[in-house]
mmCIF file of all heavy atoms in Angstrom:
data_model
loop_
_atom_site.group_PDB
_atom_site.id
_atom_site.type_symbol
_atom_site.label_atom_id
_atom_site.label_comp_id
_atom_site.label_asym_id
_atom_site.label_seq_id
_atom_site.Cartn_x
_atom_site.Cartn_y
_atom_site.Cartn_z
ATOM 1 N N GLY A 5 21.242 -8.262 0.863
ATOM 2 C CA GLY A 5 21.129 -9.587 1.455
ATOM 3 C C GLY A 5 20.328 -10.561 0.617
ATOM 4 O O GLY A 5 19.785 -11.534 1.156
ATOM 5 N N GLY A 6 20.205 -10.296 -0.687
ATOM 6 C CA GLY A 6 19.421 -11.162 -1.549
ATOM 7 C C GLY A 6 17.949 -10.829 -1.608
ATOM 8 O O GLY A 6 17.191 -11.497 -2.319
ATOM 9 N N ALA A 7 17.500 -9.793 -0.864
ATOM 10 C CA ALA A 7 16.096 -9.381 -0.901
ATOM 11 C C ALA A 7 15.768 -8.794 -2.269
ATOM 12 O O ALA A 7 16.659 -8.341 -3.001
ATOM 13 C CB ALA A 7 15.811 -8.355 0.188
ATOM 14 N N PRO A 8 14.482 -8.772 -2.658
ATOM 15 C CA PRO A 8 14.115 -8.168 -3.950
ATOM 16 C C PRO A 8 14.642 -6.745 -4.075
ATOM 17 O O PRO A 8 14.688 -5.992 -3.096
ATOM 18 C CB PRO A 8 12.575 -8.183 -3.907
ATOM 19 C CG PRO A 8 12.234 -9.315 -2.988
ATOM 20 C CD PRO A 8 13.312 -9.330 -1.941
ATOM 21 N N ILE A 9 15.053 -6.387 -5.277
ATOM 22 C CA ILE A 9 15.605 -5.055 -5.525
ATOM 23 C C ILE A 9 14.527 -4.007 -5.267
ATOM 24 O O ILE A 9 13.402 -4.113 -5.750
ATOM 25 C CB ILE A 9 16.139 -4.962 -6.957
ATOM 26 C CG1 ILE A 9 17.314 -5.939 -7.124
ATOM 27 C CG2 ILE A 9 16.594 -3.542 -7.284
ATOM 28 C CD1 ILE A 9 17.648 -6.264 -8.554
ATOM 29 N N VAL A 10 14.880 -2.989 -4.503
ATOM 30 C CA VAL A 10 13.924 -2.004 -3.995
ATOM 31 C C VAL A 10 13.885 -0.774 -4.904
ATOM 32 O O VAL A 10 14.922 -0.303 -5.376
ATOM 33 C CB VAL A 10 14.309 -1.591 -2.556
ATOM 34 C CG1 VAL A 10 13.463 -0.426 -2.058
ATOM 35 C CG2 VAL A 10 14.189 -2.787 -1.613
ATOM 36 N N VAL A 11 12.684 -0.250 -5.136
ATOM 37 C CA VAL A 11 12.496 0.970 -5.922
ATOM 38 C C VAL A 11 12.414 2.169 -4.984
ATOM 39 O O VAL A 11 11.611 2.191 -4.055
ATOM 40 C CB VAL A 11 11.218 0.890 -6.777
ATOM 41 C CG1 VAL A 11 10.937 2.239 -7.462
ATOM 42 C CG2 VAL A 11 11.347 -0.211 -7.827
ATOM 43 N N GLN A 12 13.265 3.156 -5.246
ATOM 44 C CA GLN A 12 13.292 4.369 -4.439
ATOM 45 C C GLN A 12 12.934 5.569 -5.297
ATOM 46 O O GLN A 12 13.119 5.575 -6.509
ATOM 47 C CB GLN A 12 14.683 4.562 -3.818
ATOM 48 C CG GLN A 12 14.811 5.815 -2.962
ATOM 49 C CD GLN A 12 16.094 5.854 -2.156
ATOM 50 O OE1 GLN A 12 16.497 4.863 -1.546
ATOM 51 N NE2 GLN A 12 16.766 6.992 -2.134
ATOM 52 N N SER A 13 12.421 6.614 -4.671
ATOM 53 C CA SER A 13 12.130 7.869 -5.354
ATOM 54 C C SER A 13 12.512 9.020 -4.437
ATOM 55 O O SER A 13 12.894 8.819 -3.285
ATOM 56 C CB SER A 13 10.647 7.956 -5.730
ATOM 57 O OG SER A 13 9.841 7.929 -4.549
ATOM 58 N N MET A 14 12.365 10.248 -4.950
ATOM 59 C CA MET A 14 12.664 11.429 -4.151
ATOM 60 C C MET A 14 11.656 12.525 -4.450
ATOM 61 O O MET A 14 11.264 12.729 -5.599
ATOM 62 C CB MET A 14 14.084 11.928 -4.415
ATOM 63 C CG MET A 14 14.502 13.081 -3.499
ATOM 64 S SD MET A 14 16.238 13.543 -3.713
ATOM 65 C CE MET A 14 16.382 14.803 -2.412
ATOM 66 N N THR A 15 11.260 13.233 -3.413
ATOM 67 C CA THR A 15 10.356 14.360 -3.601
ATOM 68 C C THR A 15 11.113 15.548 -4.185
ATOM 69 O O THR A 15 12.325 15.664 -4.046
ATOM 70 C CB THR A 15 9.723 14.794 -2.267
ATOM 71 O OG1 THR A 15 10.774 15.202 -1.367
ATOM 72 C CG2 THR A 15 8.933 13.652 -1.635
ATOM 73 N N ASN A 16 10.396 16.459 -4.822
ATOM 74 C CA ASN A 16 10.986 17.739 -5.240
ATOM 75 C C ASN A 16 10.229 18.903 -4.626
ATOM 76 O O ASN A 16 10.299 20.034 -5.107
ATOM 77 C CB ASN A 16 11.037 17.853 -6.766
ATOM 78 C CG ASN A 16 9.667 17.834 -7.423
ATOM 79 O OD1 ASN A 16 8.651 17.575 -6.766
ATOM 80 N ND2 ASN A 16 9.617 18.106 -8.720
ATOM 81 N N THR A 17 9.504 18.642 -3.551
ATOM 82 C CA THR A 17 8.821 19.706 -2.814
ATOM 83 C C THR A 17 9.771 20.326 -1.798
ATOM 84 O O THR A 17 10.775 19.718 -1.408
ATOM 85 C CB THR A 17 7.601 19.150 -2.051
ATOM 86 O OG1 THR A 17 8.049 18.123 -1.148
ATOM 87 C CG2 THR A 17 6.570 18.572 -3.005
ATOM 88 N N ASP A 18 9.451 21.534 -1.352
ATOM 89 C CA ASP A 18 10.111 22.117 -0.199
ATOM 90 C C ASP A 18 9.599 21.353 1.023
ATOM 91 O O ASP A 18 8.400 21.362 1.313
ATOM 92 C CB ASP A 18 9.769 23.603 -0.082
ATOM 93 C CG ASP A 18 10.404 24.274 1.130
ATOM 94 O OD1 ASP A 18 11.100 23.591 1.925
ATOM 95 O OD2 ASP A 18 10.172 25.490 1.309
ATOM 96 N N THR A 19 10.482 20.663 1.737
ATOM 97 C CA THR A 19 10.055 19.816 2.840
ATOM 98 C C THR A 19 9.324 20.607 3.919
ATOM 99 O O THR A 19 8.467 20.069 4.634
ATOM 100 C CB THR A 19 11.258 19.049 3.430
ATOM 101 O OG1 THR A 19 11.879 18.299 2.368
ATOM 102 C CG2 THR A 19 10.845 18.090 4.532
ATOM 103 N N ALA A 20 9.643 21.896 4.052
ATOM 104 C CA ALA A 20 8.930 22.738 5.012
ATOM 105 C C ALA A 20 7.454 22.911 4.635
ATOM 106 O O ALA A 20 6.631 23.267 5.485
ATOM 107 C CB ALA A 20 9.613 24.097 5.127
ATOM 108 N N ASP A 21 7.128 22.674 3.366
ATOM 109 C CA ASP A 21 5.738 22.686 2.905
ATOM 110 C C ASP A 21 5.144 21.315 3.247
ATOM 111 O O ASP A 21 5.192 20.371 2.455
ATOM 112 C CB ASP A 21 5.684 22.952 1.398
ATOM 113 C CG ASP A 21 4.285 22.799 0.807
ATOM 114 O OD1 ASP A 21 3.299 22.665 1.586
ATOM 115 O OD2 ASP A 21 4.170 22.783 -0.442
ATOM 116 N N ILE A 22 4.578 21.202 4.418
ATOM 117 C CA ILE A 22 4.127 19.910 4.929
ATOM 118 C C ILE A 22 3.022 19.323 4.059
ATOM 119 O O ILE A 22 3.063 18.143 3.686
ATOM 120 C CB ILE A 22 3.670 20.043 6.391
ATOM 121 C CG1 ILE A 22 4.879 20.414 7.272
ATOM 122 C CG2 ILE A 22 3.013 18.761 6.892
ATOM 123 C CD1 ILE A 22 4.520 20.820 8.682
ATOM 124 N N VAL A 23 2.040 20.130 3.706
ATOM 125 C CA VAL A 23 0.905 19.646 2.915
ATOM 126 C C VAL A 23 1.378 19.116 1.563
ATOM 127 O O VAL A 23 1.008 18.014 1.132
ATOM 128 C CB VAL A 23 -0.143 20.751 2.727
ATOM 129 C CG1 VAL A 23 -1.236 20.302 1.752
ATOM 130 C CG2 VAL A 23 -0.769 21.135 4.066
ATOM 131 N N GLY A 24 2.208 19.915 0.875
ATOM 132 C CA GLY A 24 2.703 19.515 -0.443
ATOM 133 C C GLY A 24 3.577 18.276 -0.385
ATOM 134 O O GLY A 24 3.503 17.403 -1.256
ATOM 135 N N THR A 25 4.418 18.199 0.650
ATOM 136 C CA THR A 25 5.327 17.062 0.762
ATOM 137 C C THR A 25 4.567 15.777 1.094
ATOM 138 O O THR A 25 4.840 14.716 0.532
ATOM 139 C CB THR A 25 6.402 17.346 1.827
ATOM 140 O OG1 THR A 25 7.129 18.539 1.457
ATOM 141 C CG2 THR A 25 7.378 16.190 1.951
ATOM 142 N N VAL A 26 3.620 15.861 2.000
ATOM 143 C CA VAL A 26 2.802 14.689 2.333
ATOM 144 C C VAL A 26 2.062 14.188 1.090
ATOM 145 O O VAL A 26 2.006 12.988 0.822
ATOM 146 C CB VAL A 26 1.803 15.019 3.469
ATOM 147 C CG1 VAL A 26 0.753 13.920 3.613
ATOM 148 C CG2 VAL A 26 2.543 15.219 4.783
ATOM 149 N N LYS A 27 1.511 15.119 0.345
ATOM 150 C CA LYS A 27 0.763 14.759 -0.868
ATOM 151 C C LYS A 27 1.662 14.027 -1.857
ATOM 152 O O LYS A 27 1.275 12.975 -2.391
ATOM 153 C CB LYS A 27 0.183 16.019 -1.514
ATOM 154 C CG LYS A 27 -0.631 15.760 -2.789
ATOM 155 C CD LYS A 27 -1.235 17.080 -3.293
ATOM 156 C CE LYS A 27 -2.043 16.866 -4.578
ATOM 157 N NZ LYS A 27 -1.185 16.548 -5.724
ATOM 158 N N GLN A 28 2.868 14.551 -2.072
ATOM 159 C CA GLN A 28 3.742 13.919 -3.058
ATOM 160 C C GLN A 28 4.277 12.580 -2.565
ATOM 161 O O GLN A 28 4.353 11.622 -3.340
ATOM 162 C CB GLN A 28 4.913 14.848 -3.420
ATOM 163 C CG GLN A 28 5.685 14.344 -4.632
ATOM 164 C CD GLN A 28 6.710 15.340 -5.125
ATOM 165 O OE1 GLN A 28 7.854 15.334 -4.683
ATOM 166 N NE2 GLN A 28 6.309 16.205 -6.036
ATOM 167 N N ILE A 29 4.628 12.471 -1.302
ATOM 168 C CA ILE A 29 5.083 11.178 -0.772
ATOM 169 C C ILE A 29 3.987 10.135 -0.927
ATOM 170 O O ILE A 29 4.239 8.999 -1.342
ATOM 171 C CB ILE A 29 5.505 11.297 0.705
ATOM 172 C CG1 ILE A 29 6.778 12.143 0.833
ATOM 173 C CG2 ILE A 29 5.733 9.906 1.325
ATOM 174 C CD1 ILE A 29 7.163 12.450 2.274
ATOM 175 N N ALA A 30 2.756 10.518 -0.606
ATOM 176 C CA ALA A 30 1.626 9.595 -0.733
ATOM 177 C C ALA A 30 1.443 9.157 -2.187
ATOM 178 O O ALA A 30 1.167 7.985 -2.464
ATOM 179 C CB ALA A 30 0.347 10.236 -0.202
ATOM 180 N N GLU A 31 1.611 10.095 -3.136
ATOM 181 C CA GLU A 31 1.493 9.767 -4.553
ATOM 182 C C GLU A 31 2.594 8.794 -4.981
ATOM 183 O O GLU A 31 2.340 7.825 -5.705
ATOM 184 C CB GLU A 31 1.571 11.047 -5.396
ATOM 185 C CG GLU A 31 0.340 11.937 -5.272
ATOM 186 C CD GLU A 31 0.533 13.301 -5.909
ATOM 187 O OE1 GLU A 31 1.692 13.633 -6.278
ATOM 188 O OE2 GLU A 31 -0.462 14.052 -6.029
ATOM 189 N N LEU A 32 3.819 9.058 -4.545
ATOM 190 C CA LEU A 32 4.942 8.186 -4.893
ATOM 191 C C LEU A 32 4.750 6.789 -4.297
ATOM 192 O O LEU A 32 4.995 5.779 -4.960
ATOM 193 C CB LEU A 32 6.252 8.802 -4.401
ATOM 194 C CG LEU A 32 6.690 10.084 -5.122
ATOM 195 C CD1 LEU A 32 7.782 10.794 -4.325
ATOM 196 C CD2 LEU A 32 7.172 9.779 -6.535
ATOM 197 N N ALA A 33 4.285 6.743 -3.055
ATOM 198 C CA ALA A 33 4.053 5.460 -2.402
ATOM 199 C C ALA A 33 2.930 4.693 -3.093
ATOM 200 O O ALA A 33 3.015 3.474 -3.290
ATOM 201 C CB ALA A 33 3.732 5.667 -0.924
ATOM 202 N N ARG A 34 1.862 5.418 -3.458
ATOM 203 C CA ARG A 34 0.735 4.763 -4.150
ATOM 204 C C ARG A 34 1.189 4.187 -5.487
ATOM 205 O O ARG A 34 0.723 3.122 -5.900
ATOM 206 C CB ARG A 34 -0.403 5.763 -4.359
ATOM 207 C CG ARG A 34 -1.662 5.144 -4.954
ATOM 208 C CD ARG A 34 -2.770 6.192 -5.123
ATOM 209 N NE ARG A 34 -4.012 5.597 -5.582
ATOM 210 C CZ ARG A 34 -4.298 5.320 -6.852
ATOM 211 N NH1 ARG A 34 -3.429 5.612 -7.781
ATOM 212 N NH2 ARG A 34 -5.475 4.759 -7.175
ATOM 213 N N GLU A 35 2.116 4.867 -6.149
ATOM 214 C CA GLU A 35 2.614 4.376 -7.431
ATOM 215 C C GLU A 35 3.502 3.147 -7.246
ATOM 216 O O GLU A 35 3.724 2.396 -8.195
ATOM 217 C CB GLU A 35 3.393 5.486 -8.141
ATOM 218 C CG GLU A 35 3.647 5.224 -9.610
ATOM 219 C CD GLU A 35 2.366 5.139 -10.428
ATOM 220 O OE1 GLU A 35 1.432 5.926 -10.178
ATOM 221 O OE2 GLU A 35 2.303 4.280 -11.340
ATOM 222 N N GLY A 36 4.029 2.951 -6.027
ATOM 223 C CA GLY A 36 4.842 1.767 -5.765
ATOM 224 C C GLY A 36 6.244 2.035 -5.263
ATOM 225 O O GLY A 36 7.044 1.105 -5.121
ATOM 226 N N SER A 37 6.565 3.298 -4.969
ATOM 227 C CA SER A 37 7.881 3.592 -4.399
ATOM 228 C C SER A 37 7.982 2.959 -3.018
ATOM 229 O O SER A 37 7.112 3.150 -2.172
ATOM 230 C CB SER A 37 8.095 5.109 -4.295
ATOM 231 O OG SER A 37 9.383 5.381 -3.782
ATOM 232 N N GLU A 38 9.067 2.225 -2.781
ATOM 233 C CA GLU A 38 9.225 1.501 -1.528
ATOM 234 C C GLU A 38 10.084 2.237 -0.514
ATOM 235 O O GLU A 38 10.112 1.891 0.664
ATOM 236 C CB GLU A 38 9.812 0.120 -1.829
ATOM 237 C CG GLU A 38 8.817 -0.740 -2.628
ATOM 238 C CD GLU A 38 9.460 -1.880 -3.370
ATOM 239 O OE1 GLU A 38 10.400 -1.625 -4.158
ATOM 240 O OE2 GLU A 38 9.017 -3.025 -3.183
ATOM 241 N N LEU A 39 10.821 3.245 -0.960
ATOM 242 C CA LEU A 39 11.533 4.195 -0.116
ATOM 243 C C LEU A 39 11.360 5.568 -0.747
ATOM 244 O O LEU A 39 11.399 5.685 -1.977
ATOM 245 C CB LEU A 39 13.036 3.874 -0.033
ATOM 246 C CG LEU A 39 13.496 2.539 0.557
ATOM 247 C CD1 LEU A 39 15.007 2.409 0.410
ATOM 248 C CD2 LEU A 39 13.097 2.422 2.002
ATOM 249 N N VAL A 40 11.191 6.590 0.060
ATOM 250 C CA VAL A 40 11.077 7.952 -0.474
ATOM 251 C C VAL A 40 12.062 8.846 0.265
ATOM 252 O O VAL A 40 12.076 8.892 1.494
ATOM 253 C CB VAL A 40 9.653 8.522 -0.327
ATOM 254 C CG1 VAL A 40 9.606 9.956 -0.848
ATOM 255 C CG2 VAL A 40 8.637 7.667 -1.088
ATOM 256 N N ARG A 41 12.860 9.557 -0.504
ATOM 257 C CA ARG A 41 13.859 10.451 0.062
ATOM 258 C C ARG A 41 13.339 11.884 0.050
ATOM 259 O O ARG A 41 12.717 12.307 -0.937
ATOM 260 C CB ARG A 41 15.164 10.338 -0.735
ATOM 261 C CG ARG A 41 16.375 10.950 -0.064
ATOM 262 C CD ARG A 41 17.614 10.564 -0.844
ATOM 263 N NE ARG A 41 18.098 11.586 -1.644
ATOM 264 C CZ ARG A 41 18.859 11.520 -2.722
ATOM 265 N NH1 ARG A 41 19.267 10.469 -3.116
ATOM 266 N NH2 ARG A 41 19.259 12.502 -3.410
ATOM 267 N N ILE A 42 13.589 12.625 1.119
ATOM 268 C CA ILE A 42 13.208 14.032 1.186
ATOM 269 C C ILE A 42 14.435 14.868 1.534
ATOM 270 O O ILE A 42 15.385 14.372 2.140
ATOM 271 C CB ILE A 42 12.094 14.274 2.236
ATOM 272 C CG1 ILE A 42 12.575 13.914 3.643
ATOM 273 C CG2 ILE A 42 10.840 13.492 1.880
ATOM 274 C CD1 ILE A 42 11.578 14.260 4.752
#
């Protein structure tokens, strides 16, 4: 819709590993990822 182009990333953790997945999503978000796929 003309909105700024969005940066997406994806985790490579086992999603069942809650601690590891939360940590990596937080890292990706802190770096500037605007959507994260799991």
Side-chain angles (χ1 to χ4, degrees):
I9 296 162
V10 172
V11 173
Q12 180 169 315
S13 62
M14 186 174 184
T15 61
N16 62 351
T17 58
D18 179 359
T19 304
D21 173 10
I22 295 169
V23 173
T25 302
V26 167
K27 180 176 179 290
Q28 191 172 89
I29 292 173
E31 289 170 350
L32 292 165
R34 185 179 185 277
E35 195 63 39
S37 182
E38 293 159 305
L39 298 175
V40 178
R41 194 171 103 203
I42 63 174

